[in-house]
Amino acid sequence: MTTPPTDLDLGEVQTIRRRQRYDRDHPHYKWIVLTNTTLGILLTTINSSILLISLPAIFRGVGLNPLEASNVGYLLWMLMGYLLATAVLVVMFGRLGDIYGRVRIYNLGFLVFAVCAVALSFDPVTGGAGAMWIIVWRVLQGIGGAMLTANSAAILTDAFPAKQRGTALGINMVAAVAGSFLGLLIGGVLSEWDWRAVFWVSVPIAVLGTIWSYRSLHEVGLRSAGRIDWAGTITFALGLTALLTGITYGIQPYGGHATGWSSPWVLGAVIGGLLLLALFCVVEAKVAEPMFHLGLFRNRAFGLGNFANLLVSIGRGGVQFMLIIWLQGIWLPLHGFSYESTPLWAGIYMLPLTVGFLAAGPISGWLSDRYGSRPFTTGGALLTGVTFIALLVIPVDFNYWLFALIILLNGIGSGLFFSPNTAAIMSSVPAAQRGAASGMRGTLFNGGNALSMGIFFSLMVVGLAATLPSALSSGLQAQGVSAAAAGKLADMPPVGSLFAAFLGFNPIQELLGPTGELTKPGVNAHALTGQEFFPNLLTGPFHSGLLVVFLAAAVMMFLAAAASYFAGGKYVHDEQAELAEADQLTRDKVAVR
């Protein structure tokens, strides 16, 4: 459907006319915009996942043991600091783009990102200080990434006419999601060479991208006069930070419980975050110039499209974590790969996921320009949900080609969904609000990625807690470990074993070594510290956890499919109708005079 001509947006009309002049005078400009913003968004999303695979090498490089309880906080913040910054700040930077210029904020984001990439490329200290160096600069880099994410889709929407917008936004969105897949492979390859190379790779791209964006990009969209809504900005930032931080720390055990969901700090952060977000909604409904116009959510295409975007982002992020654990902690060691090499090979064996997404994403964006978004967003979410169910059916020690087919279809489903979803969301809002709308879409996309870690790790821990302690105790005693020592290890929180699998570590040597059990007579130390004992021990409990995780992910996908279906089909502002109406208004004014 189209917006009715009576709902005239003069800012949109002026933007259309400015773009038409740019198209006439600079016919290649829109493709320069597409190339630069795609490079920027690719860089930000590669860096959102590049540490997932390379964390073991980074911890060895700075001299920290990631399995020590005191170092879990470093691990969480290395993963979450960047994601939190990109999730929390994109709406604010989108609004700043509307006021001060989208290209100006975007260029500044590239500059901030480049400076942080240079700082991360060398770490002058080790131990906890070395970890903090990485965490602080990663958070600052996430601020630059938020500037890029918040404005890239709005700049593209300004530069491209409606009939080409789905293709352009589709390519940009393909880069955004593909970057998170490519980050896994790049991190695995580079960490085998040098852990610092994980950070080096961003330096030349960020520096060249910064110079290029400052020299090439121009403001096509009009700025909207206004002031910064500090009350809304602060309540939104604090609320979302508290919510995401609370959910993340819900992974860690508390007071004898497998997770931290009984901790008053976790509950306080989650409840407090929700209350602050509710206060944000109240503030935005009352202030004269809100950071984000909540009335946009009454637009069916925008509201339901963003709801689907959030659910698919959570599910997609969750499958990344679970597949990494599955491959690094169980399947690869059982098939003869050393624990030190599993990060690299996990990235390689997940390539079908990336290939499927890269194949489907651009095509679905192009087709949605012609046939509307509904069949692709709905069908893509349904296909992704079906693949989650399929992953439950195959054994933990699977045939790789069957696994590869399933994750290929999973990638195709994601590719079918994201491009049309982004185009539908961005085409449903007026020009003056595109920056804030792009920021909200980016918040839900990045927030879904950040939420996925806390949600899916917690679900997996709940599944493991039911079966892992007894399996661990009986398995250790079968290899000669004393009942007391086996019971002590079995009573440890399951998150320790989960992090070991996630990081590609065999924890038995680390946990039993200090007890002296491995040197006692009758203890089969060779089997306990070998390639197969821990993966075989984890197989049964891990499958119990997978049942919880993938069923939850499938439900999210099916809900996203329903939301996409009811969001509608082809929803764009009718440019020709708006131009015709603007011309008519001009003629009417002249006639009155």
Side-chain angles (χ1 to χ4, degrees), residues 15-16 79 107 122 133 141 146 165 167 232 297 381 411 489 492 507 534 544 576:
T15 298
I16 293 168
L79 289 175
N107 289 345
F122 64 94
W133 175 278
Q141 191 177 50
R165 198 170 289 154
T167 302
F297 282 106
L489 260 66
M492 293 183 66
F534 180 63
S544 299
Q576 296 306 317

Side-chain angles (χ1 to χ4, degrees), residues 377-469:
T377 53
T378 304
L382 283 174
L383 177 59
T384 307
V386 169
T387 60
F388 284 132
I389 301 298
L391 286 170
L392 288 175
V393 176
I394 64 174
V396 176
D397 188 12
F398 48 77
N399 176 285
Y400 176 71
W401 295 110
L402 177 59
F403 175 81
L405 175 62
I406 294 172
I407 64 172
L408 174 69
L409 293 173
N410 186 283
I412 290 173
S414 294
L416 289 173
F417 173 85
F418 274 111
S419 298
N421 173 263
T422 304
I425 290 170
M426 292 306 301
S427 294
S428 67
V429 298
Q433 297 178 37
R434 281 179 186 157
S438 176
M440 182 58 74
R441 185 202 61 81
T443 290
L444 295 173
F445 177 75
N446 292 331
N449 290 335
L451 282 169
S452 65
M453 182 177 177
I455 291 171
F456 281 91
F457 264 85
S458 294
L459 289 173
M460 177 58 77
V461 168
V462 169
L464 287 176
T467 53
L468 182 60

Side-chain angles (χ1 to χ4, degrees), residues 24-94:
R24 183 181 64 249
D25 300 335
H26 308 282
H28 301 299
Y29 175 73
K30 61 188 175 186
W31 303 112
I32 294 172
V33 170
L34 176 60
T35 308
N36 188 277
T37 56
T38 298
L39 176 67
I41 208 70
L42 182 67
L43 193 62
T44 62
T45 53
I46 284 175
N47 278 273
S48 72
S49 63
I50 198 168
L51 295 197
L52 291 177
I53 291 286
S54 50
L55 273 177
I58 292 172
F59 268 79
R60 285 193 294 269
V62 298
L64 287 175
N65 179 2
L67 299 183
E68 285 186 10
S70 59
N71 293 332
V72 171
Y74 292 131
L75 186 149
L76 287 176
W77 279 102
M78 278 190 187
L79 289 175
M80 294 300 298
Y82 181 92
L83 292 175
L84 277 173
T86 55
V88 168
L89 297 174
V90 285
V91 174
M92 182 186 76
F93 286 130

Side-chain angles (χ1 to χ4, degrees), residues 487-511:
K488 186 175 180 180
L489 260 66
D491 289 338
M492 293 183 66
V495 71
S497 298
L498 193 61
F499 272 130
F502 177 62
L503 294 169
F505 274 78
N506 183 345
I508 302 301
Q509 174 73 50
E510 193 71 37
L511 297 174

Side-chain angles (χ1 to χ4, degrees), residues 328-339:
Q328 290 187 188
I330 298 176
W331 195 86
L332 287 169
L334 287 177
H335 288 259
F337 293 86
S338 67
Y339 280 96

